[in-house]
Amino acid sequence: MAETNQKKSKEWQAEERHLKECRALIAANVAEYERQLEERRKETKALFDEVQSGNVELYDQLVTSRSLEEHSFNQLHKNTEAYGRPFFGRIDYKNLDEKLFESIYIGKHGVLRDKTTVEVVDWRAPIASVYYENELGEGFYEIPDSSTDGRGKPLQYRIDLSLKRTFDIEEGVLQGFYDSDVAANDELLVKYLSKNRDAVLGDIIATIQKEQNEIIRESPFRNIIVQGVAGSGKTTVAMHRISYIMYNYKERFTSNEFCIVGGSDILIDYITGGLPELDVYDIKHMRMDEILTHLLHSEWKKKFKLVSLPVNQAWKSKMLFAKELENYMQQLRNRILANCVVYDEEIGMLLSQKNNDDFINGNPKYSINKLLVTLDERLRNRIKIQCMGREEVGIYKRKLVQYKNYFSSYCYKGNVVSLYLNFLEMYGAEYYIDMTPVSEKIQHGIFDVYDVAAMLIIYYRALQKKPDEEFGQIFIDEAQDFGSIVYYALRTVLPECFFTIMGDVSQNVNYEYGMNDWRDMTQKIFHSKEDAFHVLAKSYRNTIEISDFAGKILRSASKGAYQIEPVIRHGEPVHFLESISSEEAAGICVETIQEMKEKGYETMAVICFSDEDKEIVTLRLSRQITLIDAQNSGFSKGVLVLTVPETKGLEFDCVLLWKPDLTGYRDNPRLAKLLYVAATRALHELFIVQ
């Protein structure tokens, strides 16, 4: 025992020395990058003034100077961020191929000793995957986006891992370290999870679990769907995956090819607010309705209006609706392209049926109009070939005039809306649905998200001139809130894009419309052998007490499909606060919020189950405390009053549920899901105000 303690003491001293040396190096780096940044700012300004005064020959130098200035700024930021906590992990291993022993420290940011020597390895580097995934003993790691092994697979390095160590460092002081066979020691993980929301987000890199890391480091050249229970880290995993891809595949993807898609502005603000901490900048972000209308280009008019989900029109969200729409478009395609034979009595066969069929069948992604325009191009080329060597003067020009716009004259001249209305009429007749309310709404320029998804399919099949290449990586959070046709439309219109789709079918509050299982996604949309499906079952957000309360609700919400596996972190029991009136309940909320502020909690939410209750609560609480207007200021510290759908994907230090129905949910899956979502927003304390 004494020998073990002595060894521990020596290792502690050695780690403290290393930490001190590392911080000294970082301090020197900070000073150097501050000096460089000041010099380069002066140089950039001088060059800018010269170019502005007319000395355009210096423009290339100005561009270079700006690039160097940005590099110095980024390095200064990384080193400044790293100073308080230079690293969180260490691995010792032997490279079995090169017979070399390595000891590597891993941090949130890479730290350089000089231009060629890495002092601290960035968590996104390939070797860092060993810390998250490998057990002690022999194993390997891969180098993504590198030269391959000759079979198209990434290069692999064989290693023998002898040490995996996690450090607890606060403000430059070593608090402890833990050696284990897993990435994050349970004791340290619980410590991090016990902090405020912002602190948790800041420390999460050190505690990424193996199942989360597998998703983060999945190849960016495959589509992945992630089913994750509330608090499993879906959003965090998505954020880190973006950072990982941008770091390791910078030659393949630029930042403007990434897009984050969410159901609300609050959720998007919440996600994007944490990205700069992960070295992610300048990526696109849109609500689901925004990306769908964006992809319609000029077919979406400014005068059009988007409305919330329609009543009793869930059929528009289903794959059957998409399938019938595709059949309709295929029939239209076949009718327009039925006879493409072109025979000229003077110069012979120009385009045969077989030739055209081969071309049309070989280009299934071409729209009808694109096919017709391309057929005209093929026809002009054939005329040129057939007229070669003919003695008759001017026959080539004469035939070009004769067959001008031969096919493109059949291009569909109408718009997406008219085609959609025609399809709705056919669909209504087939399935005995009165389309009058839907058609009248659309004729007045009023659409819901499923109308737009259907029109996007029509646009792609009939009118699109060239493929959309704007997006390379799309990340969708809270995916369960939208029906299958939305994803079918996105996949259809963006066939070269890769999707990361995060959701939890147990949290589908749009019960009739959204995803209640993943079968359509995995069997009909993303069903290639390259596509992957992951499950995150562990909840890292809630305490045991909150998880137990939510788990009872979940059994009604999911019918046992996906259950929570909580991380062992105890807290306060769920609080039940009784009141005899809404006025008294509001007073209880105010008192509770003040108590939570005194505890140091920074993010709190009062969650209501109707818009009417939200108005009442907001009015009464605002008389006594300052509330955050999430619609105007986004997600920030303070107290918010929200409906359940507005909280999707968010988390708070403390949550108060305003007068929930704790009995009716047992026989009402939709109500059960609403209650489950609301309860699982709480990181530390949950109050039921009755």
Side-chain angles (χ1 to χ4, degrees):
M1 185 67 174
E3 187 178 340
T4 302
N5 291 336
Q6 188 178 11
K7 181 182 177 184
K8 183 82 173 182
S9 175
K10 288 182 179 179
E11 290 188 15
W12 185 287
Q13 293 172 12
E15 295 293 10
E16 280 191 320
R17 283 196 303 272
H18 182 80
L19 176 60
K20 185 178 179 180
E21 292 169 0
C22 195
R23 280 168 52 85
L25 170 64
I26 293 170
N29 285 349
V30 168
E32 173 60 20
Y33 286 120
E34 284 177 339
R35 183 192 65 78
Q36 287 185 16
L37 183 60
E38 185 178 357
E39 286 184 0
R40 284 165 179 167
R41 280 174 172 170
K42 290 179 180 178
E43 181 182 333
T44 300
K45 186 180 184 305
L47 287 167
F48 179 79
D49 292 341
E50 285 288 328
V51 172
Q52 284 289 93
S53 64
N55 194 352
V56 295
E57 290 84 2
L58 296 176
Y59 180 77
D60 288 344
Q61 290 186 41
L62 173 61
V63 172
T64 302
S65 181
R66 279 179 169 169
S67 178
L68 291 171
E69 180 186 330
E70 184 179 357
H71 172 75
S72 296
F73 177 83
N74 290 337
Q75 289 300 320
L76 175 60
H77 172 74
K78 290 178 182 179
N79 278 269
T80 303
E81 286 285 303
Y83 185 70
R85 193 180 179 204
F87 48 81
F88 57 77
R90 170 185 166 183
I91 54 173
D92 292 358
Y93 65 94
K94 184 178 181 181
N95 187 317
L96 297 177
D97 296 313
E98 299 177 6
K99 310 298 183 183
L100 294 174
F101 179 82
E102 299 274 2
S103 182
I104 290 176
Y105 288 82
I106 302 164
K108 185 176 179 180
H109 300 287
V111 177
L112 298 177
R113 179 169 290 279
D114 52 50
K115 292 182 179 180
T116 59
T117 307
V118 178
E119 185 69 21
V120 178
V121 171
D122 190 292
W123 71 273
R124 297 165 293 185
I127 185 60
S129 66
V130 173
Y131 170 79
Y132 295 110
E133 293 190 3
N134 290 47
E135 298 178 353
L136 298 182
E138 293 190 11
F140 66 90
Y141 71 96
E142 293 182 346
I143 307 292
D145 205 30
S146 66
S147 47
T148 63
D149 60 1
R151 296 173 293 176
K153 295 183 179 181
L155 287 175
Q156 292 186 347
Y157 287 90
R158 297 185 305 120
I159 63 168
D160 185 359
L161 183 64
S162 56
L163 176 70
K164 183 188 292 186
R165 178 168 290 175
T166 303
F167 297 94
D168 182 11
I169 299 172
E170 293 184 5
E171 298 181 357
V173 178
L174 180 63
Q175 304 292 325
F177 60 82
Y178 311 88
D179 296 343
S180 66
D181 226 9
V182 295
N185 182 278
D186 287 345
E187 182 181 345
L188 188 61
L189 177 60
V190 171
K191 179 180 178 179
Y192 287 157
L193 295 176
S194 300
K195 297 181 179 181
N196 288 346
R197 187 193 70 88
D198 285 351
V200 171
L201 288 174
D203 289 326
I204 198 71
I205 291 174
T207 59
I208 292 171
Q209 302 298 289
K210 182 177 180 179
E211 65 274 16
Q212 296 172 324
N213 188 63
E214 288 174 353
I215 298 168
I216 292 169
R217 296 176 186 261
E218 271 274 28
S219 169
F221 306 108
R222 68 190 313 184
N223 303 298
I224 62 173
I225 299 169
V226 180
Q227 158 61 36
V229 299
S232 59
K234 297 185 296 297
T235 302
T236 300
V237 167
M239 292 162 59
H240 285 75
R241 177 163 170 77
I242 295 170
S243 180
Y244 171 79
I245 294 173
M246 292 184 70
Y247 180 88
N248 286 284
Y249 298 86
K250 58 176 69 73
E251 303 300 321
R252 308 291 291 276
F253 300 101
T254 58
S255 60
N256 59 10
E257 292 181 74
F258 288 75
C259 185
I260 293 173
V261 178
S264 69
D265 290 326
I266 302 174
L267 174 59
I268 292 172
D269 182 75
Y270 173 78
I271 297 171
T272 55
L275 289 176
E277 287 296 309
L278 297 172
D279 230 8
V280 176
Y281 305 92
D282 303 324
I283 67 173
K284 298 182 177 72
H285 46 85
M286 303 182 192
R287 296 190 311 272
M288 182 63 80
D289 60 294
E290 287 176 328
I291 192 170
L292 293 175
T293 56
H294 175 79
L295 290 168
L296 273 173
H297 302 289
S298 61
E299 290 295 315
W300 182 257
K301 311 298 182 183
K302 289 183 178 180
K303 64 181 181 182
F304 289 167
K305 182 181 178 182
L306 268 172
V307 296
S308 56
L309 300 177
V311 178
N312 299 323
Q313 292 178 20
W315 44 268
K316 288 197 292 188
S317 68
K318 310 302 182 184
M319 276 301 298
L320 175 63
F321 190 63
K323 181 182 177 182
E324 293 291 0
L325 177 56
E326 285 283 31
N327 290 338
Y328 172 81
M329 296 307 300
Q330 186 62 48
Q331 291 169 14
L332 180 65
R333 180 187 177 103
N334 293 341
R335 188 165 64 250
I336 293 175
L337 300 168
N339 186 8
C340 297
V341 177
V342 184
Y343 179 82
D344 187 273
E345 292 186 354
E346 290 185 79
I347 59 177
M349 180 64 74
L350 295 175
L351 294 175
S352 69
Q353 188 65 52
K354 184 180 184 309
N355 184 274
N356 285 327
D357 286 346
D358 289 344
F359 168 71
I360 293 168
N361 295 332
N363 292 281
K365 297 177 182 178
Y366 277 22
S367 70
I368 295 170
N369 284 3
K370 172 71 173 176
L371 282 170
L372 292 169
V373 170
T374 309
L375 281 169
D376 268 346
E377 294 174 1
R378 290 166 60 83
L379 183 57
R380 287 192 293 270
N381 290 332
R382 287 293 301 169
I383 291 172
K384 182 178 181 180
I385 293 170
Q386 292 295 92
C387 291
M388 280 182 171
R390 292 184 177 265
E391 295 180 359
E392 183 181 344
V393 178
I395 187 172
Y396 174 57
K397 290 184 178 179
R398 181 162 57 83
K399 291 299 175 183
L400 285 181
V401 172
Q402 180 181 341
Y403 291 99
K404 184 180 181 182
N405 300 329
Y406 185 85
F407 291 105
S408 55
S409 62
Y410 294 98
C411 283
Y412 186 76
K413 303 300 193 298
N415 55 38
V416 165
V417 175
S418 59
L419 274 174
Y420 185 44
L421 286 169
N422 290 339
F423 166 70
L424 286 175
E425 183 180 355
M426 182 277 297
Y427 189 84
E430 178 74 18
Y431 290 94
Y432 305 100
I433 301 171
D434 180 10
M435 288 295 178
T436 305
V438 184
S439 299
E440 287 180 350
K441 181 187 71 159
I442 289 169
Q443 287 169 349
H444 286 88
I446 301 171
F447 307 87
D448 59 67
V449 69
Y450 297 114
D451 295 321
V452 181
M455 292 193 300
L456 190 56
I457 295 169
I458 293 171
Y459 169 75
Y460 179 80
R461 297 299 184 197
L463 305 176
Q464 190 180 51
K465 295 178 181 179
K466 59 181 182 179
D468 276 291
E469 298 177 345
E470 179 181 359
F471 303 106
Q473 295 281 336
I474 290 181
F475 293 77
I476 303 175
D477 201 12
E478 299 299 320
Q480 76 283 340
D481 288 347
F482 297 95
S484 303
I485 193 174
V486 166
Y487 302 103
Y488 181 81
L490 288 172
R491 186 76 182 110
T492 299
V493 175
L494 301 170
E496 304 303 320
C497 182
F498 297 95
F499 293 81
T500 298
I501 297 171
M502 323 289 289
D504 179 11
V505 293
S506 300
Q507 298 185 60
N508 172 26
V509 297
N510 302 320
Y511 189 73
E512 297 83 3
Y513 296 86
M515 293 282 178
N516 293 306
D517 63 61
W518 295 107
R519 283 179 293 182
D520 280 350
M521 296 280 270
T522 58
Q523 297 176 13
K524 299 175 183 178
I525 304 173
F526 299 99
H527 54 80
S528 156
K529 64 178 182 179
E530 297 298 323
D531 299 333
F533 181 78
H534 295 265
V535 175
L536 294 174
K538 289 183 180 178
S539 175
Y540 303 96
R541 176 186 298 150
N542 313 126
T543 62
I544 291 290
E545 291 74 16
I546 296 171
S547 288
D548 287 345
F549 177 78
K552 295 175 184 177
I553 303 164
L554 180 60
R555 284 188 279 277
S556 294
S558 69
K559 304 301 182 184
Y562 299 104
Q563 295 301 312
I564 299 175
E565 299 175 19
V567 171
I568 306 299
R569 177 170 70 93
H570 283 282
E572 295 290 328
V574 176
H575 310 274
F576 293 85
L577 308 178
E578 301 283 346
S579 65
I580 59 174
S581 67
S582 293
E583 194 69 38
E584 184 182 359
I588 291 172
C589 286
V590 171
E591 291 176 5
T592 303
I593 289 168
Q594 297 294 358
E595 290 174 6
M596 295 301 103
K597 284 183 178 180
E598 291 174 6
K599 280 191 173 185
Y601 294 142
E602 297 177 331
T603 57
M604 287 167 274
V606 182
I607 302 177
C608 304
F609 291 79
S610 70
D611 291 329
E612 294 76 15
D613 278 350
K614 179 184 175 181
E615 289 182 14
I616 294 170
V617 173
T618 300
L619 179 63
R620 289 179 173 168
L621 294 190
S622 62
R623 296 170 182 168
Q624 301 181 66
I625 58 176
T626 302
L627 300 176
I628 302 295
D629 185 353
Q631 298 302 326
N632 295 324
S633 58
F635 187 90
S636 57
K637 296 177 182 179
V639 183
L640 293 92
V641 180
L642 302 167
T643 61
V644 179
E646 291 174 329
T647 69
K648 299 299 293 293
L650 308 181
E651 60 186 20
F652 306 87
D653 292 328
C654 158
V655 166
L656 296 84
L657 304 189
W658 179 267
K659 296 185 178 298
D661 182 352
L662 297 181
T663 57
Y665 75 85
R666 293 182 177 88
D667 300 314
N668 187 333
R670 183 181 182 277
L671 180 58
K673 291 188 177 189
L674 285 169
L675 188 54
Y676 171 69
V677 169
T680 55
R681 300 309 94 193
L683 278 165
H684 305 299
E685 295 201 42
L686 176 64
F687 296 83
I688 313 297
V689 183
Q690 296 174 303

